[in-house]
Amino acid sequence: MTDIKLTDVPQEVKKRSLEPDANTIYDVIVIGGGPAGMTACVYLARKKMSVLLISNDFGGQVLWTSEIENYMGYQYIMGRELAQKFTEQVNSFPIAVRVPDEVIAVEQDEHLFLVQTKYEGNYKGQAVIIASGKQPRILDIPKERELTGRGVSYCATCDAPLYAGKDAAIIGGANSAIWAAIDLKKVARKVYLIVRSKIKADHILVERIDQEANVEQLIGYIPIEIKGKDRVESLVIKNTKTDEIKELSVQGIFVEAGLIPNTGFLRDMVKTNERNEIIVACNCETSEGGVFACGDVTNVSDKQIIIACGEGAKAALSAYRYIIEKK
Ligand SMILES: Cc1cc2nc3c(=O)[nH]c(=O)nc-3n(C[C@H](O)[C@H](O)[C@H](O)COP(=O)(O)OP(=O)(O)OC[C@H]3O[C@@H](n4cnc5c(N)ncnc54)[C@H](O)[C@@H]3O)c2cc1C
């Protein structure tokens, strides 16, 4: 058996990422730089495919996560730290990287895919991997849009520290809402948890807020209006059974009302299910030849980092086989 010493692991990884080139026909264009997309990039680069990664950011939802305890190899790691490690791994391969940018359309032209970005024109690829994940669902109530970034937030991990000593409300009853409450209870004076019907989060998480004096759970309420001139001043909620109205004086509102798949830019190119998730076969093929999808944007049953990484690896290997057979 070979003895592996820690000193054998390179301490500083050389950055080898490439500038994107609009004249190159890439083997594969990966859309989305979350766990699924970044894993796909690494797998493709190791197969010597020419790869272009286009993403709004490096990390995706992992950037909104504070503590991670279920990614193998790390008993405990902060989301930003894990995202940083993924990014370093991507950058250690000769992958063309267009981050930050946003894909606004994907079109098929003969045997090629044209991927249009918001800021840098079009790129060409022989295959595409969609790894665009999910984004927060909005509440669609008065003043939500106007006051986004001025008290209304969709990322407790990012913004909780801004509410030190203040009062805040969280809307939602799933894991992400409870994580928001865990983050906020440490800094805020008072935290209201507004839940429509019942809490649907993991018991182990709920236990962490159940006994907290500064967390008030308001079950059976929905938000109906946000008030405030330049910043959030209050949240109006309604009891779903009695129609009773309450106005909570808060400076922060954290929307944790679920996530929706980022598929708008595909404009019906591939088949989706009733939740607008891309339908994939178990090898990550979509309904369109040459288009593969992986991670949270798809109909895979569970949405987790380790699952997104595994799906990203599968999508890359399927895309690789597709390209080899085509050549
Ligand atoms: C608050 C919270 C806590 C969580 N905690 C955990 C946890 O503890 N453990 C765990 O395993 N999982 C956790 N998850 C779930 C996990 O983060 C996701 O399952 C995982 O990030 C999905 O990876 P993905 O690559 O499929 O998608 P995402 O992470 O959503 O990444 C999608 C990427 O695509 C980019 N993108 C989207 N649209 C476009 C476009 N049009 N053009 C260019 N780029 C685009 C995005 O910017 C992003 O980089 C948590 C999620 C949340 C929200």
Side-chain angles (χ1 to χ4, degrees), residues 3-43:
D3 247 2
I4 300 174
K5 298 188 207 82
L6 272 180
T7 47
D8 294 337
V9 180
Q11 296 301 303
E12 250 183 49
V13 184
K14 199 165 168 249
K15 197 171 168 189
R16 290 161 71 204
S17 50
L18 309 170
E19 277 302 310
D21 176 13
N23 297 315
T24 298
I25 298 175
Y26 290 97
D27 288 326
V28 186
I29 298 182
V30 177
I31 302 171
M38 287 207 267
T39 307
C41 284
V42 168
Y43 268 71

Side-chain angles (χ1 to χ4, degrees), residues 35 44 100-101 131 163 169 184 207 247 263 271 277 302 313 318 327:
L44 288 164
D101 205 341
Y163 295 88
L184 274 162
E207 271 177 353
E247 185 167 345
T263 49
K271 281 193 183 147
E277 295 167 334
D302 294 293
S318 296
K327 273 182 180 168

Side-chain angles (χ1 to χ4, degrees), residues 52-74:
L52 168 64
L53 168 66
I54 308 173
S55 182
N56 293 315
D57 55 49
F58 276 120
Q61 292 169 59
V62 178
L63 296 170
W64 321 339
T65 309
S66 49
E67 306 157 32
I68 297 165
E69 294 177 332
N70 54 5
Y71 189 75
M72 295 306 290
Y74 299 99

Side-chain angles (χ1 to χ4, degrees), residues 305-320:
I305 301 166
I306 203 157
I307 295 172
C309 291
E311 292 291 307
K314 280 164 58 184
L317 296 174
S318 296
Y320 167 71

Side-chain angles (χ1 to χ4, degrees), residues 30-39 53-71 77 82 86 98-105 115-118 130-136 154-157 175-177 179-180 183 205 256 259-266 294-298 300 302-309 311-312:
V30 177
I31 302 171
M38 287 207 267
T39 307
L53 168 66
I54 308 173
S55 182
N56 293 315
D57 55 49
F58 276 120
Q61 292 169 59
V62 178
L63 296 170
W64 321 339
T65 309
S66 49
E67 306 157 32
I68 297 165
E69 294 177 332
N70 54 5
Y71 189 75
I77 188 163
L82 186 61
F86 285 178
R98 175 93 214 119
V99 181
D101 205 341
E102 184 184 332
V103 171
I104 52 172
V115 178
Q116 198 183 332
T117 69
K118 195 166 179 181
I130 315 291
S132 47
K134 293 197 163 173
Q135 62 175 299
Y154 299 85
C155 181
T157 310
N175 280 350
S176 63
W179 269 118
D183 282 344
L205 293 181
E256 299 289 347
L259 299 165
I260 48 170
N262 294 314
T263 49
F265 62 91
L266 289 168
C294 49
D296 279 20
V297 75
T298 71
V300 285
D302 294 293
K303 318 296 191 209
Q304 288 285 282
I305 301 166
I306 203 157
I307 295 172
C309 291
E311 292 291 307

